[in-house]
């Protein structure tokens, strides 16, 4: 769907993007991650044709990015904004028409979305009369009203209360199910884990990591398990199955984190442990995206 | 193209629909008329305070011949000069002392506590000179009848040679129209230019600009805004013209004396109006692009000061030149050049037009103005496209030059 090849964006005294390449598959939810100032917004602005790259090329459905693509993209910028003194309904029609809808279609789709989001009574209101959360909702609708193939959301959940965040999340998932490709840009990793199929990590203008979320997580698995048990303190000396990373007591149970040695299965470890203790729970310790992110970014800082 | 039209439409309608637009449209002509009426009224009645002048006429010839005017009354006094001076000091009145041998060059004195106003001294000087001249001529043996018969009374009839033959002209009407046009253009360039600037700042601070320019090019947005607001200006002018035409139709015969209407008829009103609209549009397009660039460079209106200066300067300069020089020398070389340079021509040329300007100069000036606004729009667009996306940084001139240099 979207292919980004060797993009370079140079500003007067810093390089915002340094040879970044990415590929986003059709119909997936893609997370564009990175700390503030990494270059995410610069990249998004280039995809939206707000600015142009100094080098490199972008393809949408195999076609080089050109003005005809503008109407197929919906963009929710990080810095939200609407005309404060304009009526919500008028504003929605205006923004929809700027995305290429006819006035009639714009009206039809506005009615559909206003009903869906329970905003019918807002039509004649002005933006300054709405709460911040309501404004965000209006802006979200304005982003997707023209049925874009590609939806780019920059920090979509900032500013939403938990209830509305849930509403928006469900709308995003539904749009995705209907075939829209979605790109999230965020520095808040926890929202990404639940939603994204693939991610790319950007730090200091460069892509650090990208791929399917599952593959990335798999590659960071280290055969580490956390076991919760009841019983006497374990005597683990003399075994060749794992090394103990951490050991501690909880209120009623105790906990031990182990890393299996080469070639050892988790069952082997359990068989060894079961005679000694009452096993309550076993979980694999998989690094969160946050851990991976911090590890990567720190690694770059120290390198 | 369709999107630019949409933007023009929004900019136009959102302003025309405002109550303040209707209010301005109705109030401005009323205010103008009211002000004219007030000025006329004040000049008419304000000078009516009567100034009394005590006269000590040692010569004896003058007191009977000094004539009271509408505002001056001459009263003989029996006091001597020193006593009269004291009274004058006390009452703030005037004493006119005419010495005995005034014919031989002795000085007439006018004494008062305050400085005498110009019209008082002029009037007295005139009268005494006349009386004296009369007396000296009579003394030289010329009798009164001959004197009366040779009094010259000339009034000049102004005619202008035009293609249609000789035409009556009226410099006063031309003056009035020049002044009015210069003031109007000057004010309107600022009013509508500032509207463009404020619109750009509003879009930038409310951050909607990023949504809009993900749908249209920054240049389209800027141009749409400029054209939309320009159309608002034109609408307002047309309404003003219609309104004042109606108003004069209704009231003219009663309020305006015939001579004023007659004088107005010596000026080709339609021609002046058309050139006015052309120069308003040209000047507006030229300057509003610059105003838009300024708006894009700042985060709020208070920061605009430093960038406004270079825009205000040429306008203010021409405005002052218009009143101090061009209006008195409409065909001088300086006036010619000021009415050619695009930054000064909208005001300068409008001052010259009522006095008559050769066609070739008009065409040249308008062509230069068009070239000028294409140029400023190009420059402004390059600054604008970068500026609108720069938040929270204090901008300097160096920064702006850098933005201008960025390639697409």
């Amino acid at each position: 769907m979207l292919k980004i090849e060797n993009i370079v964006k140079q500003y007067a005294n810093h390089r915002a993007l340094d040879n970044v390449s990415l590929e986003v598959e059709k119909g997936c939810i893609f997370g564009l991650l990175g700390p503030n100032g990494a270059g995410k917004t610069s990249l998004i602005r280039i995809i939206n044709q707000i600015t142009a790259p100094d080098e490199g090329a972008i393809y949408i459905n195999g076609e080089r990015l050109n003005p005809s693509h503008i109407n197929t993209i919906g963009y929710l910028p990080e810095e939200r904004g609407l005309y404060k003194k304009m009526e919500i309904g008028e504003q929605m029609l205006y923004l929809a028409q700027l995305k290429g809808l006819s006035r009639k279609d714009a009206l039809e789709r506005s009615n559909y979305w206003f009903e869906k989001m329970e905003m019918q009574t807002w039509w004649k209101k002005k933006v300054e009369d709405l709460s911040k959360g309501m404004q965000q909702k209006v802006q979200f609708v304005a982003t997707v009203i023209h049925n874009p193939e590609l939806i780019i959301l920059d920090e979509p959940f900032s500013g939403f209360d938990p209830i509305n965040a849930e509403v928006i999340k469900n709308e995003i998932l539904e749009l995705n199910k209907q075939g829209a490709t979605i790109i999230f840009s965020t520095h808040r990793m926890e929202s990404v884990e639940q939603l994204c199929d693939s991610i790319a990590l950007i730090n200091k203008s460069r892509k650090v990591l990208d791929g399917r979320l599952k593959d990335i997580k798999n590659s960071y698995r280290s055969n580490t398990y956390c076991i919760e048990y009841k019983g006497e303190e374990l005597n683990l000396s003399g075994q060749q199955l794992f090394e103990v990373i951490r050991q501690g007591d909880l209120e009623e149970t105790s906990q031990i984190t182990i890393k299996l040695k080469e070639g050892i299965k988790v069952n082997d470890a359990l068989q060894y442990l079961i005679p000694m203790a009452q096993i309550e729970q076993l979980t694999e310790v998989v690094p969160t995206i946050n851990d991976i992110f911090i590890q990567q970014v720190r690694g770059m800082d120290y390198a | 193209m369709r999107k630019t039209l949409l933007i023009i439409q929004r900019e136009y309608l959102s302003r025309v629909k405002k109550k303040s637009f209707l209010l301005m449209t109705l109030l401005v002509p009323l205010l103008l008329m009211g002000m004219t009426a007030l000025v006329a009224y004040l000049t008419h009645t304000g000078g009516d305070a009567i100034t009394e002048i005590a006269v000590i006429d040692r010569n004896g010839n003058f007191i009977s011949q000094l004539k009271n005017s509408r505002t001056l009354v001459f009263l003989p006094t029996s006091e001597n000069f020193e006593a009269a001076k004291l009274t004058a000091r006390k009452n703030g009145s005037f004493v006119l002392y005419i010495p005995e041998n005034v014919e031989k060059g002795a000085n007439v004195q006018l004494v008062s506590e305050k400085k005498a106003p110009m019209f008082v001294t002029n009037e007295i000087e005139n009268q005494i000179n006349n009386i004296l001249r009369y007396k000296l001529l009579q003394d030289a043996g010329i009798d009164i009848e001959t004197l009366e018969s040779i009094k010259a009374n000339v009034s000049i009839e102004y005619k202008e040679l035009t293609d249609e033959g000789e035409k009556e002209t009226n410099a006063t009407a031309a003056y009035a129209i020049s002044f009015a046009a210069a003031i109007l253009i000057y004010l309107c360039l600022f009013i509508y230019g500032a509207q463009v600037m404020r619109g750009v700042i509003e879009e930038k601070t409310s951050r909607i600009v990023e949504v809009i320019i993900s749908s249209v090019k920054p240049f389209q947005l800027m141009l749409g805004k400029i054209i939309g607001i320009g159309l608002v200006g034109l609408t307002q002018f047309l309404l003003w013209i219609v309104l004042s035409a109606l108003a004069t139709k209704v009231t003219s015969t009663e309020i305006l004396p015939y001579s004023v209407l007659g004088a107005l008829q010596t000026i080709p009103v339609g021609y002046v109006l058309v050139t006015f609209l052309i120069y308003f549009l040209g000047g507006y397009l030229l300057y509003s692009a610059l105003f838009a660039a300024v708006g894009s460079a700042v985060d709020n209106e208070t920061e605009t000061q430093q960038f406004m200066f270079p825009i205000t300067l040429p306008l203010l300069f021409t405005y002052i030149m218009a009143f101090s020089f061009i209006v008195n020398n409409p065909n001088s070389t300086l006036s010619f050049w000021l009415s050619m340079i695009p930054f000064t021509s909208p005001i300068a040329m409008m001052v010259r037009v009522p006095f008559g300007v050769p066609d070739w100069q008009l065409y040249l000036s308008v062509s230069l103005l068009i070239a000028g606004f294409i140029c400023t729009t190009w420059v402004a667009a390059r600054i604008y496209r970068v500026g609108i996306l720069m938040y929270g940084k204090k901008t300097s001139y160096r920064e702006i030059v850098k933005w201008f240099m960025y390639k697409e």
Side-chain angles (χ1 to χ4, degrees):
Chain A
M1 160 89 208
L2 176 71
K3 199 166 158 197
I4 295 168
E5 276 183 4
N6 308 91
I7 292 291
V8 175
K9 179 77 188 174
Q10 179 74 43
Y11 287 111
N13 30 30
H14 88 285
R15 185 165 274 220
L17 292 168
D18 190 1
N19 210 16
V20 173
S21 301
L22 284 178
E23 199 156 342
V24 179
E25 279 170 46
K26 192 168 177 60
C28 84
I29 299 184
F30 188 91
L32 187 60
L33 313 180
N36 291 325
K40 290 174 304 211
T41 303
S42 293
L43 183 60
I44 288 175
R45 281 181 178 168
I46 290 172
I47 300 172
N48 275 303
Q49 302 178 48
I50 291 172
T51 52
D54 296 318
E55 283 168 42
I58 292 181
Y59 300 90
I60 287 186
N61 295 328
E63 215 184 326
R64 184 108 189 214
L65 193 69
N66 64 57
S68 73
H69 290 126
I70 282 175
N71 294 349
T72 65
I73 301 178
Y75 171 41
L76 180 74
E78 181 180 4
E79 301 272 8
R80 310 294 153 73
L82 294 162
Y83 286 109
K84 289 202 174 57
K85 303 219 179 283
M86 201 173 172
E87 284 172 13
I88 304 292
E90 276 301 311
Q91 193 145 201
M92 194 60 75
L93 293 180
Y94 177 58
L95 292 173
Q97 286 182 83
L98 279 186
K99 279 291 185 187
L101 294 188
S102 69
R103 193 172 169 88
K104 191 171 143 277
D105 289 347
L107 193 64
E108 223 165 76
R109 302 215 40 89
S110 299
N111 285 333
Y112 166 78
W113 275 101
F114 272 60
E115 203 169 312
K116 186 164 188 184
M117 305 293 272
E118 293 168 5
M119 323 193 301
Q120 294 100 315
T121 53
W122 302 359
W123 189 273
K124 283 270 165 200
K125 280 193 181 150
K126 288 185 179 160
V127 172
E128 49 190 2
D129 303 329
L130 296 184
S131 75
K132 224 167 179 191
M134 291 157 113
Q135 290 179 24
Q136 297 262 23
K137 236 166 149 179
V138 172
Q139 188 128 35
F140 175 77
V141 172
T143 307
V144 299
I145 193 160
H146 56 293
N147 261 345
E149 273 179 67
L150 177 63
I151 301 172
I152 302 175
L153 308 165
D154 204 346
E155 299 292 352
F157 300 114
S158 68
F160 276 115
D161 57 73
I163 296 169
N164 275 322
E166 195 62 27
V167 172
I168 297 296
K169 200 168 101 187
N170 290 333
E171 290 304 330
I172 292 171
L173 288 173
E174 200 184 319
L175 285 165
N176 180 242
K177 227 177 266 167
Q178 289 165 8
T181 309
I182 290 161
I183 298 178
F184 273 127
S185 158
T186 184
H187 62 266
R188 288 171 45 196
M189 308 303 152
E190 65 279 7
S191 58
V192 171
E193 298 218 56
Q194 317 161 353
L195 290 170
C196 293
D197 308 318
S198 303
I199 60 162
L201 241 170
I202 293 185
N203 188 41
K204 295 199 173 153
S205 320
R206 290 191 194 183
K207 184 181 77 181
V208 182
L209 186 70
D210 71 333
R212 300 180 67 79
L213 188 63
K214 234 193 283 169
D215 298 344
I216 291 176
K217 281 195 148 183
N218 276 340
S219 72
Y220 277 82
R221 278 161 82 165
S222 52
N223 271 339
T224 307
Y225 293 86
C226 177
I227 297 164
E228 217 178 297
Y229 65 93
K230 274 184 189 158
E232 306 281 303
E233 194 172 326
L234 299 170
N235 179 11
L236 301 170
S237 53
Q239 53 85 16
Q240 289 300 312
L241 301 166
F242 51 79
E243 46 184 286
V244 177
I245 293 176
R246 212 180 299 129
Q247 221 169 345
D249 289 333
L250 303 175
E251 265 176 46
E252 287 180 23
T253 58
S254 304
Q255 209 177 33
I256 182 170
T257 307
I258 56 170
K259 183 171 162 57
L260 301 178
K261 296 206 165 143
E262 273 296 317
I264 306 291
K265 294 259 154 50
V266 68
N267 274 7
D268 301 336
L270 276 179
Q271 266 167 6
Y272 171 78
L273 286 169
I274 284 170
M276 288 189 272
Q278 168 80 30
I279 306 289
E280 293 281 316
Q281 201 181 344
L282 175 130
T283 43
E284 187 181 359
V285 178
V286 182
T288 60
I289 288 294
N290 210 22
D291 295 335
I292 296 172
F293 179 77
I294 290 170
Q295 197 182 326
Q296 282 289 342
V297 170
R298 287 238 173 96
M300 277 178 81
D301 284 347
Y302 294 136
Chain B
M1 191 59 212
R2 196 179 82 90
K3 292 181 177 179
T4 314
L5 281 177
L6 265 170
I7 293 170
I8 295 173
Q9 190 188 21
R10 193 201 83 86
E11 297 292 335
Y12 180 78
L13 288 179
S14 71
R15 286 184 172 76
V16 173
K17 275 198 223 153
K18 270 191 203 155
K19 280 190 203 89
S20 56
F21 175 81
L22 195 69
L23 211 65
M24 273 279 278
T25 308
L26 292 177
L27 271 186
V28 168
L30 279 180
L31 275 179
L32 277 181
M33 272 197 277
M35 235 161 67
T36 329
L38 190 71
V39 168
Y41 174 77
L42 285 182
T43 43
H44 209 253
T45 59
D48 268 3
I50 289 169
T51 313
E52 289 184 356
I53 294 167
V55 183
I56 302 169
D57 186 6
R58 286 283 141 75
N59 183 284
N61 265 317
F62 289 87
I63 189 67
S64 55
Q65 290 189 61
L66 281 169
K67 287 188 207 89
N68 293 340
S69 74
R70 203 154 52 80
T71 53
L72 281 186
V73 177
F74 296 98
L75 298 168
T77 174
S78 50
E79 282 175 311
N80 69 23
F81 193 30
E82 292 308 315
K85 269 188 198 165
L86 282 177
T87 345
R89 183 97 203 237
K90 227 186 326 176
N91 310 342
S93 60
F94 293 88
V95 178
L96 180 65
Y97 177 77
I98 303 170
E100 205 173 335
N101 49 354
V102 69
E103 292 101 327
K104 305 219 167 68
N107 274 340
V108 172
Q109 290 181 54
L110 183 67
V111 191
S112 64
E113 188 199 19
K114 281 174 273 171
K115 247 186 210 136
M118 189 93 102
F119 79 94
V120 175
T121 52
N122 277 351
E123 176 76 25
I124 294 174
E125 235 173 60
N126 271 342
Q127 286 206 27
I128 292 183
N129 273 334
N130 272 336
I131 297 166
L132 205 57
R133 192 179 309 122
Y134 244 71
K135 182 162 183 300
L136 291 175
L137 284 169
Q138 270 177 290
D139 290 352
I142 300 166
D143 71 311
I144 296 177
E145 262 165 65
T146 330
L147 260 178
E148 293 293 339
S149 69
I150 58 172
K151 219 178 208 173
N153 195 358
V154 176
S155 94
I156 297 172
E157 215 178 320
Y158 303 99
K159 300 238 169 166
E160 199 179 351
L161 292 169
T162 65
D163 294 344
E164 299 108 64
E166 289 179 21
K167 224 170 58 177
E168 272 187 48
T169 72
N170 191 316
T172 321
Y175 261 111
I177 292 195
S178 290
F179 276 106
I183 292 174
L184 257 185
I185 288 249
Y186 178 78
L187 285 180
C188 289
L189 288 185
F190 270 112
I191 291 173
Y192 293 104
Q195 278 206 36
V196 171
M197 187 178 78
R198 234 173 278 131
V200 172
I201 294 176
E202 186 207 338
E203 273 167 359
K204 192 180 169 185
T205 51
S206 75
R207 304 284 198 258
I208 186 146
V209 70
E210 201 161 341
V211 177
I212 307 272
I213 59 169
S214 69
S215 309
V216 301
K217 289 216 170 66
F219 182 68
Q220 287 176 299
L221 176 60
M222 186 180 103
L223 204 66
K225 183 174 285 298
I226 289 176
I227 295 175
I229 294 176
L231 288 176
V232 174
L234 280 185
T235 312
Q236 200 145 49
F237 278 133
L238 290 179
L239 285 174
W240 282 344
I241 291 168
V242 170
L243 279 179
S244 37
L246 282 178
T248 32
K249 261 249 152 65
V250 175
T251 57
S252 63
T253 38
E254 280 128 57
I255 295 177
L256 293 175
Y258 179 74
S259 62
V260 173
L261 279 181
L264 271 179
Q265 272 153 13
T266 64
I267 304 284
V269 176
Y271 169 74
V272 172
L273 270 181
V274 169
T275 43
F276 178 83
L277 289 181
I278 290 173
Y279 277 96
F280 163 69
L281 266 187
Y284 164 78
L285 289 173
L286 181 103
Y287 277 101
S288 61
L290 297 178
F291 274 105
V294 171
S296 75
V298 298
D299 277 338
N300 56 61
E301 231 169 298
T302 50
E303 284 172 35
T304 57
Q305 306 284 357
Q306 55 159 335
F307 301 116
M308 286 293 290
F309 184 65
I311 299 181
T312 322
L313 200 65
L315 278 176
L316 195 64
F317 169 74
T318 339
Y319 185 70
I320 294 169
M321 284 307 285
F323 287 122
S324 59
F325 182 80
I326 304 173
V327 83
N328 295 318
N329 310 279
N331 292 316
S332 67
T333 320
L334 182 59
S335 301
F336 170 78
W337 283 111
L338 284 176
S339 62
M340 289 299 139
I341 301 167
F343 285 95
T344 57
S345 66
I347 295 177
M349 190 54 110
M350 272 327 289
V351 176
R352 293 183 60 205
V353 158
F355 294 100
V357 173
D359 283 347
W360 69 268
Q361 290 191 13
L362 215 53
Y363 295 140
L364 181 60
S365 161
V366 170
S367 314
L368 286 173
L369 188 58
I370 292 170
F373 83 66
I374 289 172
C375 192
T376 59
T377 310
W378 180 74
V379 171
R382 288 185 72 89
I383 296 169
Y384 178 85
R385 78 203 154 122
V386 184
I388 43 173
L389 291 172
M390 295 283 172
Y391 308 125
K393 249 203 276 180
K394 210 154 167 50
T395 318
S396 64
Y397 278 106
R398 257 186 66 195
E399 198 92 9
I400 288 185
V401 172
K402 227 187 275 165
W403 296 351
F404 175 74
M405 299 305 223
Y406 281 153
K407 53 182 190 286
E408 276 305 316

